[in-house]
């Protein structure tokens, strides 16, 4: 194989337009002309570094191996001749963001006492765009707030004089043993929080016996995340995979083959996000100018920071197939022989349909309140299933995702028939401290759960049952019928008489 061509900075700088676009990443010179318009983050950030060294912004978000796996070898046009680097060429482009100044240094990890403490630290120390992306929710945040507040409206009915000296939080999720009934929810681009991103979450989760569900939009390829873990001594790795089905089905098929080859045997198909909701906090903080409103490259336009804003959620989801429906399940089963869980069920009717279709599990979830505001809070959906589709609990595993912040929340969901719960934002905020933060979060939740079990009067999770909770404060909000109890669909307007 021929040695890559050595290219001077002067040669590279000549390729600085949308129609002829080269960038340098870690000393390699890549032709991005064809790929840039399809970049999930928009062409703008690539154009900002056209003809320049883009190593720093690239490595902040992406895995080192991603370019080699995404682009063909023909797009590698050469290597940078470092002897030609001048101060003017090495200087960051004028459109680059000023370095984020932290409002406060992170306090020592041992001083944090709750998931709320992790969130408070994250708000003060994450980059403004990162915080906006992860903390944001749809429009008026009604559902986002209700996810948490509805857990507070469910009361325990503790039993006393029970021997609770020894408690056991161990459980099973999709046949895999776990140390407590929680999962790490899939979330995009965790590298925004920590350089090791999802790999750090995976290490923290594995060390504490918790399963991580890896997002299609993870910062690292799934094989890099899996290979960062020690080989599993028994059974599949402690990973599930979340799938967004691409408009290009062959891309999803290839991804599923890759996931299967790694020993992962369960996928979570997200069904509540054919497109992203309006997340105003995320839209307000511009993609590439989050502090000072610096525009994109002059004359190029703003494919990221458009008239709707700069929402990362909207940008990164542009590849998702909006036409996905129930009739596509046979296609999925053709290309995936393992277990399938539908993530994003919000009513009893769809839960019944999932059971009828023979799915292995469902996640009752409203996507953390990030898509359709005023969709029902997650714990209320669980009660909807009990009232209107109780048979689903005998046919598939049911998970709750949304609003879980305490060990008491976990126990309430288990008492009400959930197999397990899933947490998203708390894991991302704990990642602010690296894998040690993830481990600390899990220990914190495990301790809270164990204490809650003791004070309710049980010593193992299989002793949990609905009689240990009082849902009267929310029962009147649980639907009683498939349709509306009294409102009728409006008839088509009558044609005007001539």
């Amino acid at each position: 194989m021929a040695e890559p061509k050595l290219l001077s900075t002067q040669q590279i700088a000549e390729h600085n337009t949308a129609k002829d676009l080269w960038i340098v990443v870690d000393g390699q010179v890549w032709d991005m002309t064809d790929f840039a318009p399809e970049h999930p983050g928009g062409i703008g950030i690539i154009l900002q570094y056209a003809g320049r060294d883009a190593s720093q912004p690239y490595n902040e978000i992406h895995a080192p191996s991603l370019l080699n796996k995404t682009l063909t070898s023909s797009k590698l046009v050469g290597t940078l001749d470092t002897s030609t680097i001048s101060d003017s060429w090495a200087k960051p482009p004028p459109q680059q963001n000023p370095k984020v100044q932290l409002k406060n240094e992170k306090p020592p990890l041992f001083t944090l006492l709750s998931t709320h403490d992790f969130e408070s630290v994250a708000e003060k120390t994450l980059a403004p765009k990162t915080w906006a992306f992860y903390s944001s929710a749809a429009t008026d945040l009604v559902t986002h707030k209700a996810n948490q507040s509805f857990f507070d409206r469910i009361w325990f009915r503790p039993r006393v004089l029970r021997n609770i000296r020894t408690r056991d939080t161990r459980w099973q999720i999709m046949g895999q043993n776990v140390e407590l009934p929680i999962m790490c929810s899939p979330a995009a681009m965790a590298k925004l929080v920590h350089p090791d991103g999802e790999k750090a979450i995976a290490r923290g989760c594995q060390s504490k016996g918790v399963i991580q569900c890896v997002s299609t939009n993870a910062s690292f390829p799934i094989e890099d995340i899996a290979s960062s873990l020690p080989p599993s001594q028994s059974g599949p790795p402690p990973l599930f995979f979340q799938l967004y089905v691409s408009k290009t089905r062959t891309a999803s098929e290839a991804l599923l083959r890759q996931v299967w080859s790694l020993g992962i045997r369960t996928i979570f198909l997200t069904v509540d996000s054919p497109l992203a909701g309006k997340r105003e906090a995320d839209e307000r903080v511009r993609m590439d100018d989050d502090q000072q409103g610096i525009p994109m490259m002059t004359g190029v336009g703003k494919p990221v920071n458009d008239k709707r804003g700069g929402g990362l959620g909207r940008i990164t989801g542009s590849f998702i197939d909006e036409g996905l429906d129930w009739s596509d399940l046979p296609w999925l089963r053709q290309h995936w022989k393992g277990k399938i869980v539908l993530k994003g069920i919000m009513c009893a009717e769809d839960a019944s349909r999932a059971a009828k279709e023979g799915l292995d599990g469902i996640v009752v979830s409203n996507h953390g309140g990030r898509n359709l505001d005023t969709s029902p809070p997650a714990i209320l959906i669980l009660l909807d299933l009990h009232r209107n589709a109780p048979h689903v609990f005998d046919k598939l595993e049911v998970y709750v995702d949304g609003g879980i912040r305490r060990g008491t929340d976990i126990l309430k969901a288990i008492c009400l028939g959930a197999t397990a719960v899933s947490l998203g934002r708390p894991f991302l905020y704990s990642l602010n401290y690296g894998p040690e933060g993830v481990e600390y979060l899990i220990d914190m939740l495990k301790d809270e759960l164990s204490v809650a079990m003791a004070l309710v009067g049980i010593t193992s999770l299989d002793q949990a049952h609905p009689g240990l909770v009082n849902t009267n404060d929310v029962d009147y909000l649980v639907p009683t019928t498939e349709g509306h109890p009294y409102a009728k669909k409006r008839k088509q307007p009558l044609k005007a008489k001539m």
Side-chain angles (χ1 to χ4, degrees), residues 86-251:
S86 63
D87 290 342
S88 60
W89 186 84
K91 184 179 179 181
Q95 291 82 7
Q96 187 184 40
N97 295 341
K99 185 177 179 180
V100 173
Q101 298 296 316
L102 301 183
K103 298 176 184 177
N104 295 290
E105 293 298 323
K106 287 182 288 189
L109 182 58
F110 71 86
T111 66
L112 276 59
L113 299 177
S114 69
T115 61
H116 303 295
D117 288 346
F118 275 114
E119 183 172 356
S120 178
V121 173
E123 182 177 12
K124 295 174 181 176
T125 59
L126 294 181
K129 184 59 186 176
T130 302
W131 170 253
F133 176 48
Y134 287 129
S135 66
S136 61
T139 51
D140 296 315
L141 314 185
V142 175
T143 294
H144 173 56
K145 295 173 182 176
N147 275 338
Q148 294 186 47
S149 67
F150 267 62
F151 273 100
D152 297 336
R153 296 176 64 180
I154 294 174
W155 302 86
F156 282 118
R157 301 180 66 237
R159 307 296 196 268
V160 298
L161 291 177
R162 305 292 177 92
N163 182 350
I164 46 83
R165 288 193 184 98
T166 304
R167 277 107 47 209
D168 187 358
T169 64
R170 290 175 297 175
W171 204 235
Q172 279 198 341
I173 299 175
M174 284 290 143
Q176 294 184 228
N177 294 325
V178 291
E179 288 299 309
L180 66 165
I182 69 171
M183 292 182 287
C184 174
S185 301
M189 299 183 296
K191 200 174 180 184
L192 288 169
V193 179
H194 186 276
D196 287 343
E198 293 82 4
K199 293 193 288 187
I201 295 177
R203 292 196 297 272
C205 285
Q206 185 190 48
S207 71
K208 295 297 179 179
V210 169
I211 295 175
Q212 176 194 15
C213 189
V214 178
S215 171
T216 295
N217 287 335
S219 310
F220 296 92
I222 181 63
E223 59 267 28
D224 289 5
I225 298 168
S227 64
S228 71
L229 297 174
S232 177
Q233 298 302 314
S234 60
L239 298 171
F240 296 149
F241 185 75
Q242 175 269 334
L243 177 68
Y244 282 121
V245 174
S246 172
K247 294 172 183 174
T248 307
R249 290 293 175 90
T250 53

Side-chain angles (χ1 to χ4, degrees), residues 285-364:
V285 184
R286 299 286 172 164
M287 175 64 176
D288 300 308
D289 52 351
D290 49 89
Q291 288 187 302
Q292 300 189 26
I294 301 171
M296 290 282 193
M297 185 175 290
T298 305
V300 172
K302 299 184 179 182
V304 174
N305 298 327
D306 57 22
K307 64 182 181 180
R308 294 176 60 188
L312 264 176
R314 177 167 54 86
I315 295 161
T316 58
S318 59
F319 72 95
I320 298 172
D321 185 359
E322 299 173 5
L324 187 73
D325 63 24
W326 292 100
S327 68
D328 289 304
L329 288 177
W331 163 82
L332 182 58
R333 284 198 175 93
Q334 180 183 351
H335 297 281
W336 181 259
K337 302 306 180 186
K339 296 178 179 179
I340 301 173
V341 178
L342 295 190
K343 180 179 181 293
I345 296 297
M346 287 178 277
C347 68
E349 293 76 29
D350 282 342
S352 291
R353 178 69 182 267
K356 182 179 179 181
E357 295 285 348
L359 278 303
D360 299 282
I362 57 173
V363 183
V364 295

